[in-house]
Amino acid sequence: MKLSVEWLKEFVGFDCSIDELAKSLTMAGLEVEDIVTYSPDELARLGGGREGPSGPVFDVKVTPNRGDWLSVIGVAREAAAILATKLTVSEATAEGAPPPTSSAIEVTIVAPDLCRRYAAGLVRNVTIKESPDWLRNRLIMAGMRPINNIVDITNYVMIEYGQPLHAFDYHLLRGAEIIVRRAAPEEVMATIDGQQRELSSDMLMIADRDRAVAVAGVMGGADTEVAETTRDVLIESANFDPVSIRRTSKTLGLTTESSYRFERAVDPSITVAALKRAAELMRDLADGEIAEGVVDAYPAEIQPLTIELRPERANKLLGWNIEPCEMAQLLQLLGMSVRLNNPLQVTVPTFRSDITEEIDLIEEIARLHGFDKIETTLPESPSQGRECEVNLFEDRLRQLLLRCGAQEVMTHSIVDSSLVERTGLAERVVHIRNPLREDLSRLRVMLIPGLLETLSRNAAFGAKDLAIFEIGRVYHYGRDGLIAQNRSVAGALIGSQWAGAWNLDRSALEADFYLCKGVVDALLDSLEIREREYTAAQSPLLHPTRSAVVRSGGAEIGILGEVEASVRESFDLRGRPYVFELDFETLRFQAGRRRVYRPVARYPAIYRDLSVVVDEDRPYAEVRNAISEAGGEWIERVELREVYTGRPLSPGQKSLLLSLAFRSVERTLTDQIVNDQMARIKDRLTAELSAAIRGAE
Amino acid sequence: MSETGVRDSLDELKTAAKSSIAEASSLSELADIETTYLGRKGQLTQLLRGVGELPPEERPTFGRLVNEARAGLEQALADRRAALAETEGAQRLRAEALDVTLPGRFYTVGRQHPLSATMDRIKRIFLGLGYEIVDSPEIERYHYNFESLNYPEEHPAMDEQMSFYVTDDLLLRTQTTAVQARIMESRQPPLRICTMGRCYRSDEVDATHSHTFHQVDCFAVDEDITFADLKGTLYNFAREMFGPDTQVRFRPDYFPFVEPGAEVAITCVICGGEGCGVCKSTGWLELGGAGMIHPNVFRQVGIDPEQYSGFAFGLGIDRMPMMMYRIDDLRLFLENDIRFLRQV
Ligand SMILES: [Zn+2]
């Protein structure tokens, strides 16, 4: 909210500088976000007048609980409390002449749950014209546009008192009646902004005998609007239910200065005072004649609340020690009346509807006395700090992947639909009902698409060789219809993984399927997930013959492989990216928890080379498993050295060069024993895998 | 042979040997010279064998002379050997010399993302203060995100928390504070809880706003928790995080779930509080919100606010590395430009 400092000064005097006042208000919770100074020239350019006031304007940020600050008097009252000085507000009397307002209008509140008070006042024979310079300037500095004297006066009083007002052209109201009621089914009304509004039955309306004439507290109707021809003005000053106004305003998509204030609660005690102030201004500035009295429908008068405050409770909670009488003084500065009993009996004025219990008073004391007067202590903890298991496991994965040389990234969870459609999981994707934009309406179901997008963005900047990983949540509907939001861990590699490779064969560390698998293997090894099985994967993201699914203990851990060509192209990636994505919870479940030391062998190992020729489509795993099984307890390691196809092998064959190590933890093995084992291995390979063994060992 | 003849040949031999030692150009040549003169069949040895031809009275003198000559040659050989070794070593090193300014060869080494690194630092501080770190869901029930945090139905306070909804009841949490009631309804005080992670608000993306951001939330519930404890805890955190000279400012602010409520700010890390562009000349940078847990929050979870009190605070994580590394654009964090990630 904006208000000019000179207007503020009308209600509170201060000796300090404007900057100091702004700082004091800010430190009391009423933040002065900005101070803008208006010159007479600038005001004139904006439709004001050179003769009117100018100067600094506070732009204050009012927290949603303090509707009472949404006025010049409200801010002045706070300033007076902070500066411990007086607030001066002169009450308008609005002496009127007969016939009285009550003879001209009848007010009926049909919905007292939504309208606590409704006051109406009549001003006759007004002259519609431009407002004087001083009023126009103050409105402009408050961020409003002057229109004519009658409309300007309602706005002016709203900013001054915080009470929204509405002015009807009295002669356009039918039946000399105001009825405050809910909208009828399918009722429509044109508001003064020219829009035809469809109303619903939970909205509060101001109506005359025949029709709705205003959306209560939000906007007036076009039919009864004040215009050049208006002679008599009926001023409405009312108090509406905040929740009802908020709902109506949201349903209509219409937020006004009026609805903004009603949502934040308006003081029901100022209804008539504000109305009289407006009537006097219409008398003074529009040559109007005030009708005697106001019609004030106030079914249940709202009484100030009295709350007990235990000073020792306040001191204990805040961690300081101030005297009860000092607390009372602080509360009195805020307009409360206090009886010095124990506990203190505090009566809260109706403009502070935010104060309903003891803690609210404790806050007021702390706020006004200053948080800086509270000391700093460190509470003892009842136990030592503890990290949760999920986080510990996440840290473990992160450290492992960093050691593999990958760069950690963090990508958006809210993604474009194109990023989820390619995953083949589109029907399980979680949608946002009210997205900012249609392209931000899905939650990621996998991490791989985000990583590909990251590779793509970096490639565009010239970074074509990368290894990245992410650990983050992914979201999907499970079979039970509930949303799963577990973590996932994924990586992507593209191009050379050397930091510098001069004079070396760059292809040695070029990202390929096996480098990608090497990272996954390193990860699984570190997690002690030894038993694992790689079989062909079926993921629309991956190359059909260059991808694998990895399982352990019957559970699917994840997938890895080369990115499918059209997916790669859709991300505008030129090289061949390799990716993996593993399920965090499965990893966590499978990971070895406790490692037990096994004695290291003290006896020497015996090494043998083995060259096996098998059919080209025979998986290596079968050869390896056959060797491990046939090799008996002493086979310590099977290491693949080379895979070869081509001459002199026949087409459709490959040779595998392996290095085997045999060792016993109990004794030194003899050549004879190892030779026997090698013979058994060869027999097994020949018999079961139709393998040929090449050369002598 | 006369004595003079023998002496002459000894002198000749000495001269010849010394000159060939001096001229030797490698250690192997020197070894040959040693054999030639001092070996078992060497010339000096041969000369010594000729001593028997001398008259007996001259023999001792001659023997002494030969031994002196031998010692002299051995010394000369040793000196020359040392000199040659030095030269040869130097040559070998010269031949093995590398250009140490050529670049090293290693695989590319990645770094932790600045946000995850920041979260690690924050965790370490609160673990040190005895907090238990808990995991908390990002897709959260309306109840935990708002109701249990004392947001009245249809309240303007929710305008600052524009939410993304997944269903009527589920939304993307707008604040990590949503974990409070989850913990408090299942556990009894004393509690020291810390959680952190992603939050979402329906906010357009620019240099300082995003629909996705990260928060850390802590709360403490015990019999005598005071506002002074809240201040002390945040002072402690700010100094650990931003340096020992950091000042902390508490300014009254409104959050439905705390009362008294405060905005927490630290002295600007750029200007130290003098005022600069980053802090908009105020000298302060906002970290987040804090306060004493509202009695309504306790009542809803069945904790007696007369017996227990507590504080809670939530701080923006993204702002912290922005301050520390002087990053001027929030979007950089989730864009993952490698040129950015390799700097921070
Ligand atoms: Zn600064």
Side-chain angles (χ1 to χ4, degrees):
Chain A
M1 188 191 59
K2 296 188 178 72
L3 71 163
S4 66
V5 175
E6 54 79 31
W7 197 350
L8 196 62
K9 278 184 173 161
E10 211 174 288
F11 302 101
V12 61
F14 55 91
D15 302 328
C16 63
S17 75
I18 286 164
D19 284 338
E20 278 164 1
L21 177 66
K23 192 171 173 236
S24 300
L25 287 169
T26 298
M27 288 311 291
L30 178 53
E31 187 183 358
V32 179
E33 285 190 297
D34 203 4
I35 304 174
V36 181
T37 301
Y38 283 87
S39 68
D41 283 350
E42 197 167 359
L43 286 166
R45 198 162 54 243
L46 293 167
R50 256 170 241 284
E51 302 305 314
S54 58
V57 170
F58 283 172
D59 190 350
V60 295
K61 186 177 167 191
V62 175
T63 51
N65 59 326
R66 293 300 302 267
D68 64 301
W69 279 342
L70 289 169
S71 65
V72 178
I73 291 175
V75 174
R77 191 190 287 129
E78 193 62 46
I82 295 165
L83 305 170
T85 178
K86 258 183 79 72
L87 177 77
T88 322
V89 181
S90 51
E91 188 113 356
T93 52
E95 296 295 339
T101 303
S102 56
S103 68
I105 196 86
E106 190 185 334
V107 173
T108 313
I109 301 177
V110 180
D113 54 330
L114 304 186
C115 176
R116 287 180 283 199
R117 190 174 189 183
Y118 194 104
L122 189 64
V123 182
R124 299 190 177 94
N125 292 321
V126 298
T127 310
I128 306 286
K129 55 185 176 186
E130 189 183 50
S131 304
D133 285 6
W134 64 266
L135 193 147
R136 293 206 319 283
N137 283 13
R138 280 184 172 176
L139 281 183
I140 292 165
M141 288 191 277
M144 301 201 73
R145 194 167 51 89
I147 295 167
N148 61 44
N149 52 357
I150 300 301
V151 175
D152 291 352
I153 286 165
T154 59
N155 284 332
Y156 184 87
V157 175
M158 173 179 70
I159 291 165
E160 190 169 76
Y161 277 73
Q163 169 68 57
L165 301 175
H166 184 64
F168 294 104
D169 182 326
Y170 174 71
H171 294 289
L172 296 175
L173 290 171
R174 298 177 191 162
E177 251 190 291
I178 288 286
I179 303 161
V180 185
R181 59 159 170 86
R182 286 183 164 81
E186 292 176 36
E187 191 168 7
V188 291
M189 193 195 84
T191 42
I192 55 172
D193 56 2
Q195 301 270 321
Q196 194 72 14
R197 303 282 174 181
E198 289 178 17
L199 311 169
S200 61
S201 56
D202 58 346
M203 294 178 181
L204 189 68
M205 295 290 124
I206 309 302
D208 61 14
R209 187 191 61 205
D210 298 339
R211 68 216 153 131
V213 291
V215 183
V218 180
M219 191 175 272
D223 290 351
T224 52
E225 191 183 358
V226 170
E228 295 286 310
T229 52
T230 301
R231 204 179 72 228
D232 297 346
V233 174
L234 187 78
I235 308 169
E236 166 200 290
S237 179
N239 198 282
F240 301 115
D241 174 60
V243 172
S244 161
I245 298 294
R246 181 173 167 82
R247 287 212 181 107
T248 303
S249 158
K250 275 173 108 179
T251 310
L252 295 177
L254 184 61
T255 300
T256 59
E257 292 281 342
S258 168
S259 72
Y260 189 82
R261 283 176 174 77
F262 279 123
E263 272 183 43
R264 285 158 178 75
V266 170
D267 179 10
S269 304
I270 58 164
T271 314
V272 170
L275 191 152
K276 286 183 173 172
R277 169 73 167 144
E280 283 192 353
L281 284 169
M282 288 185 195
R283 177 193 65 202
D284 300 345
L285 307 179
D287 314 319
E289 296 154 16
I290 302 171
E292 186 184 275
V294 295
V295 174
D296 182 14
Y298 195 3
E301 193 174 332
I302 286 157
Q303 299 298 331
L305 204 61
T306 298
I307 302 168
E308 290 189 345
L309 170 67
R310 293 163 294 172
E312 65 285 359
R313 169 85 181 156
N315 282 334
K316 190 183 167 195
L317 198 69
L318 298 172
W320 65 14
N321 201 2
I322 68 172
E323 294 299 320
C325 59
E326 197 176 346
M327 292 185 190
Q329 280 166 6
L330 291 165
L331 293 171
Q332 281 158 351
L333 284 171
L334 291 164
M336 305 188 198
S337 55
V338 184
R339 278 175 57 199
L340 271 171
N341 302 344
N342 192 7
L344 299 174
Q345 307 283 316
V346 184
T347 301
V348 183
T350 53
F351 60 81
R352 290 303 304 272
S353 62
D354 61 307
I355 296 180
T356 58
E357 59 174 313
E358 186 183 37
I359 189 70
D360 302 321
L361 297 174
I362 294 174
E363 175 172 62
E364 288 305 285
I365 292 165
R367 191 174 68 79
L368 207 60
H369 197 52
F371 289 167
D372 55 332
K373 300 211 178 59
I374 299 175
E375 56 178 329
T376 63
T377 54
L378 206 52
E380 257 181 48
S381 179
S383 63
Q384 63 175 9
R386 200 179 332 138
E387 172 68 297
C388 70
E389 210 206 317
V390 174
N391 283 349
L392 283 174
F393 190 70
E394 183 181 320
D395 288 347
R396 193 168 158 198
L397 290 181
R398 178 177 293 114
Q399 292 312 318
L400 291 171
L401 288 164
L402 285 169
R403 263 181 266 157
C404 289
Q407 165 69 46
E408 187 181 21
V409 300
M410 287 173 86
T411 67
H412 277 286
S413 330
I414 300 176
V415 295
D416 190 342
S417 60
S418 67
L419 281 187
V420 296
E421 267 154 25
R422 303 306 298 252
T423 58
L425 300 166
E427 77 283 358
R428 299 170 71 183
V429 168
V430 178
H431 292 234
I432 296 173
R433 276 188 180 180
N434 57 333
L436 270 172
R437 291 189 308 272
E438 204 35 51
D439 63 349
L440 291 173
S441 63
R442 308 289 201 277
L443 294 181
R444 63 184 178 191
V445 69
M446 286 183 86
L447 297 175
I448 288 174
L451 294 182
L452 293 177
E453 197 178 48
T454 303
L455 290 185
S456 172
R457 182 175 298 123
N458 279 289
F461 295 136
K464 294 181 168 56
D465 304 313
L466 277 181
I468 56 176
F469 76 96
E470 177 166 17
I471 306 172
R473 285 181 198 271
V474 293
Y475 320 80
H476 66 83
Y477 284 99
R479 282 180 231 292
D480 51 7
L482 298 176
I483 295 174
Q485 45 179 328
N486 292 332
R487 289 164 171 79
S488 186
V489 49
L493 303 114
I494 191 168
S496 172
Q497 303 305 306
W498 279 110
W502 53 278
N503 282 15
L504 290 184
D505 178 8
R506 278 178 66 88
S507 69
L509 261 185
E510 189 77 14
D512 66 3
F513 177 85
Y514 297 107
L515 189 66
C516 183
K517 185 179 173 186
V519 173
V520 174
D521 278 337
L523 192 70
L524 297 178
D525 280 347
S526 300
L527 297 175
E528 301 286 316
I529 301 176
R530 297 286 175 189
E531 279 182 24
R532 50 195 188 237
E533 189 191 5
Y534 290 87
T535 51
Q538 285 173 328
S539 165
L541 288 172
L542 301 180
H543 189 301
T545 57
R546 289 186 162 193
S547 60
V549 53
V550 55
R551 290 190 181 80
S552 176
E556 185 173 324
I557 293 178
I559 54 167
L560 67 152
E562 184 174 315
V563 174
E564 198 269 329
S566 68
V567 173
R568 185 176 80 211
E569 277 158 24
S570 72
F571 283 100
D572 206 19
L573 282 164
R574 299 210 199 296
R576 291 181 173 225
Y578 293 83
V579 292
F580 65 85
E581 179 147 4
L582 311 176
D583 184 73
F584 183 92
E585 288 301 323
T586 309
L587 286 175
R588 193 158 76 93
F589 182 74
Q590 300 262 339
R593 272 165 187 76
R594 192 176 290 269
R595 271 171 277 186
V596 178
Y597 161 77
R598 284 193 319 217
V600 289
R602 293 169 192 281
Y603 300 98
I606 293 181
Y607 300 93
R608 290 283 191 277
D609 285 346
L610 178 65
S611 181
V612 187
V613 178
V614 289
D615 286 346
E616 206 177 345
D617 52 9
R618 169 83 61 196
Y620 166 72
E622 289 182 17
V623 176
R624 197 203 177 287
N625 292 344
I627 294 171
S628 298
E629 282 167 24
E633 58 175 311
W634 295 309
I635 190 140
E636 188 184 59
R637 202 183 64 226
V638 179
E639 196 179 298
L640 179 69
R641 289 283 168 80
E642 192 183 282
V643 181
Y644 179 78
T645 54
R647 284 169 181 280
L649 298 176
S650 356
Q653 287 198 311
K654 65 181 169 189
S655 80
L656 304 168
L657 178 61
L658 298 138
S659 165
L660 312 185
F662 295 86
R663 197 197 305 259
S664 161
V665 288
E666 289 153 359
R667 60 194 164 112
T668 304
L669 294 179
T670 62
D671 272 342
Q672 187 53 50
I673 290 172
V674 173
N675 290 345
D676 289 350
Q677 295 298 335
M678 284 300 288
R680 222 167 273 156
I681 289 169
K682 287 170 186 173
D683 288 349
R684 175 81 168 259
L685 291 173
T686 323
E688 284 187 9
L689 305 180
S690 324
I693 310 300
R694 294 180 78 213
E697 65 231 31
Chain B
M1 195 188 273
S2 70
E3 193 206 330
T4 328
V6 178
R7 278 194 186 178
D8 285 350
S9 46
L10 183 63
D11 286 342
E12 267 171 44
L13 196 140
K14 267 164 67 183
T15 312
K18 282 194 170 157
S19 85
S20 52
I21 287 169
E23 283 161 22
S25 62
S26 71
L27 287 171
S28 60
E29 205 178 316
L30 207 61
D32 290 345
I33 294 168
E34 185 169 12
T35 315
T36 309
Y37 291 98
L38 305 177
R40 262 194 311 128
K41 292 176 181 169
Q43 295 184 24
L44 199 67
T45 319
Q46 299 288 348
L47 209 62
L48 197 58
R49 284 198 188 120
V51 74
E53 293 170 24
L54 290 177
E57 68 277 10
E58 290 180 14
R59 286 177 193 169
T61 317
F62 182 71
R64 185 173 47 79
L65 286 173
V66 171
N67 282 333
E68 276 173 14
R70 183 180 194 92
L73 287 182
E74 276 171 354
Q75 184 60 48
L77 277 165
D79 290 350
R80 185 65 188 151
R81 194 178 290 121
L84 279 176
E86 203 173 321
T87 325
E88 274 189 21
Q91 275 167 352
R92 193 174 60 242
L93 292 182
R94 212 166 18 255
E96 289 176 1
L98 293 180
D99 178 356
V100 296
T101 67
L102 281 171
R105 285 190 288 237
F106 198 58
Y107 60 85
T108 309
V109 176
R111 299 189 189 201
Q112 199 171 352
H113 190 278
L115 287 177
S116 96
T118 304
M119 289 193 233
D120 275 1
R121 282 192 62 195
I122 297 170
K123 266 187 223 169
R124 276 198 291 276
I125 296 171
F126 288 117
L127 283 171
L129 290 174
Y131 282 75
E132 178 185 341
I133 319 280
V134 300
D135 195 31
S136 47
E138 287 177 16
I139 299 179
E140 184 55 280
R141 290 184 47 205
Y142 178 88
H143 171 75
Y144 290 115
N145 199 79
F146 288 123
E147 274 176 344
S148 67
L149 292 176
N150 196 35
Y151 280 82
E153 199 190 350
E154 289 290 347
H155 194 271
M158 289 170 70
D159 289 349
E160 292 165 8
Q161 309 266 326
M162 296 297 282
S163 321
F164 290 120
Y165 283 87
V166 169
T167 68
D168 282 344
D169 182 49
L170 289 174
L171 47 80
L172 303 187
R173 67 172 170 198
T174 60
Q175 44 197 356
T176 40
T177 323
V179 82
Q180 257 183 41
R182 281 184 171 274
I183 300 289
M184 288 198 280
E185 70 189 9
S186 60
R187 292 171 55 178
Q188 285 300 308
L191 294 168
R192 303 283 188 278
I193 303 291
C194 170
T195 197
M196 55 188 78
R198 259 181 199 189
C199 299
Y200 307 85
R201 288 179 198 173
S202 187
D203 224 345
E204 283 293 344
V205 178
D206 65 26
T208 53
H209 299 86
S210 178
H211 51 70
T212 302
F213 56 97
H214 301 78
Q215 267 193 347
V216 52
D217 232 88
C218 291
F219 66 94
V221 182
D222 215 330
E223 290 198 336
D224 291 305
I225 296 285
T226 67
F227 198 99
D229 291 335
L230 168 64
K231 284 184 70 177
T233 302
L234 279 164
Y235 262 95
N236 195 290
F237 169 76
R239 291 188 179 145
E240 287 288 322
M241 196 74 190
F242 301 103
D245 299 328
T246 310
Q247 294 296 311
V248 185
R249 185 185 77 173
F250 293 81
R251 195 179 71 73
D253 203 347
Y254 170 71
F255 307 97
F257 43 94
V258 284
E259 191 161 15
E263 171 212 271
V264 185
I266 55 162
T267 35
C268 176
V269 293
I270 310 295
C271 65
E274 299 281 313
C276 69
V278 174
C279 58
K280 295 187 192 115
S281 309
T282 61
W284 297 98
L285 294 171
E286 192 189 326
L287 271 193
M292 301 303 290
I293 296 174
H294 198 287
N296 286 346
V297 173
F298 283 140
R299 287 179 195 124
Q300 282 197 64
V301 293
I303 291 177
D304 180 5
E306 288 293 315
Q307 188 187 352
Y308 293 105
S309 57
F311 64 68
F313 55 86
L315 313 175
I317 291 176
D318 310 69
R319 292 182 63 95
M320 297 181 193
M322 285 183 87
M323 294 171 188
M324 289 187 280
Y325 305 116
R326 306 193 187 187
I327 296 164
D328 55 2
D329 194 332
L330 182 64
R331 287 168 292 199
L332 285 164
F333 290 120
L334 298 188
E335 273 174 2
N336 297 296
D337 185 328
I338 201 78
R339 297 168 298 177
F340 165 74
L341 294 176
R342 282 182 180 151
Q343 284 183 48
V344 292

